[in-house]
Amino acid sequence: MGRLRTAVRTLADLDLPPDELLTRLDDTVHRLTDEDADVFDQVPTVVGATCLYALYDPVSRRCTMARAGHPPPLIIDAQGRVTIADLPAGAPLGLGLGLVPFESVELELPEGSLLAFYSDGLVESRGDDFDVGTNRLGAALAQPGSSLVDLCSQVIEALPTQAHPDDVTLLLARTRAFEPAQVASWDLPNEPAAVPAARRLAARRLGDWGLEHLVTTVELIVSELVTNAIHYGDGPIHLRLIQHQVLTCEVSDTNTSHPRPRHPRTLDENGRGLFLVAQLSRRWGSRCATDGKIVWAEQDLPSSASAR
């Protein structure tokens, strides 16, 4: 499990969609099983693990999830209504043989929704089936206004007194949404004139947010990312700035190829754009989108910089 946790963290840094992440994780489990069998000179042991992976976008309030044999999460809205996320089950990691693909499902969640992720040991016990356990869990969590800590205590108190044959795990998360004033976005034409226009738009919005000290850096990042989108894509371009714990700059285009930083030689005329973005950013990366990709870069805000 330790190796799987490391693999999940590594794959998460690649911003993969949940179904693709589970597919790669499943391949990793098979490979680790074969490697262990070779090391110990024995027949490969069948090893399985369940997993649920979710991504939440606080701008669109959409959550994308996929699971590999894991119980589906409960979703409790701000009024206390409980639903079970309708997700294709998928085979546990290491047991599916790659015959059935994992599937992602995208849900729009109202602000303040509670997501409950749990192990089957929490809802299954001797004499009680899965439905009885999930109904008990949902009733304990349907308490609008309660803190996450209090909700966890209520779940534990509602558990049957007999010993549980399996581990009990509960993870709660409450969704938040960004205010409209925290997000600025623009559609740009795929033409060279869009580059200076994007710089002006970004600089003006940073001024509105009182972030004038970031204008020069963000202008350079926007210029490089929009230029790359024009050079390698042929469709519309979208620029988005998000002000939260950090300032995020996103540029989306219709090209599905992900950027790869190069290490240009002294006399090379090209290849320095992403290297410059990496040097100017707190973090940067790219992720898949419905009709292309998104390249993003983060900048520290005064409060987050002082906290590091």
Side-chain angles (χ1 to χ4, degrees), residues 184-190 194-195 198-199 202 218-233 235-242 248-255 257-259 274 277 284-289 291-298:
S185 59
W186 304 273
D187 292 317
L188 304 171
N190 193 300
V195 178
R199 288 198 298 264
V218 172
E219 279 185 329
L220 286 171
I221 291 173
V222 167
S223 182
E224 294 296 339
L225 295 185
V226 172
T227 298
N228 282 349
I230 294 171
H231 183 71
Y232 296 105
I237 299 167
H238 189 76
L239 169 64
R240 185 166 75 169
L241 298 179
I242 303 171
T248 304
C249 171
E250 298 180 345
V251 173
S252 59
D253 60 59
T254 56
N255 191 314
S257 298
H258 288 259
L274 288 178
V277 169
W284 79 279
S286 65
R287 65 179 183 270
C288 296
D291 53 357
K293 69 174 182 300
I294 298 172
V295 185
W296 54 268
E298 294 178 349

Side-chain angles (χ1 to χ4, degrees), residues 76-81 110-114 143-145:
I76 301 93
D77 65 18
Q79 287 72 45
R81 292 186 291 264
E111 184 177 2
S113 295
L114 181 71
Q143 308 294 330

Side-chain angles (χ1 to χ4, degrees), residues 50-135:
T50 65
C51 182
L52 189 147
Y53 190 80
L55 292 173
Y56 176 69
D57 182 355
V59 176
S60 65
R61 294 185 290 104
R62 302 195 72 83
C63 184
T64 307
M65 295 181 278
R67 63 186 178 123
H70 201 77
L74 299 186
I75 302 174
I76 301 93
D77 65 18
Q79 287 72 45
R81 292 186 291 264
V82 181
T83 58
I84 300 177
D86 186 11
L87 304 177
L93 301 171
L95 301 181
L97 302 177
L99 300 178
V100 180
F102 299 105
E103 297 182 55
S104 291
V105 170
E106 187 177 74
L107 306 171
E108 183 172 336
L109 302 178
E111 184 177 2
S113 295
L114 181 71
L115 292 173
F117 306 95
Y118 53 92
S119 61
D120 52 8
L122 183 65
V123 296
E124 292 181 347
S125 61
R126 294 186 182 92
D128 288 340
D129 60 16
F130 180 82
D131 291 338
V132 172
T134 52
N135 289 337

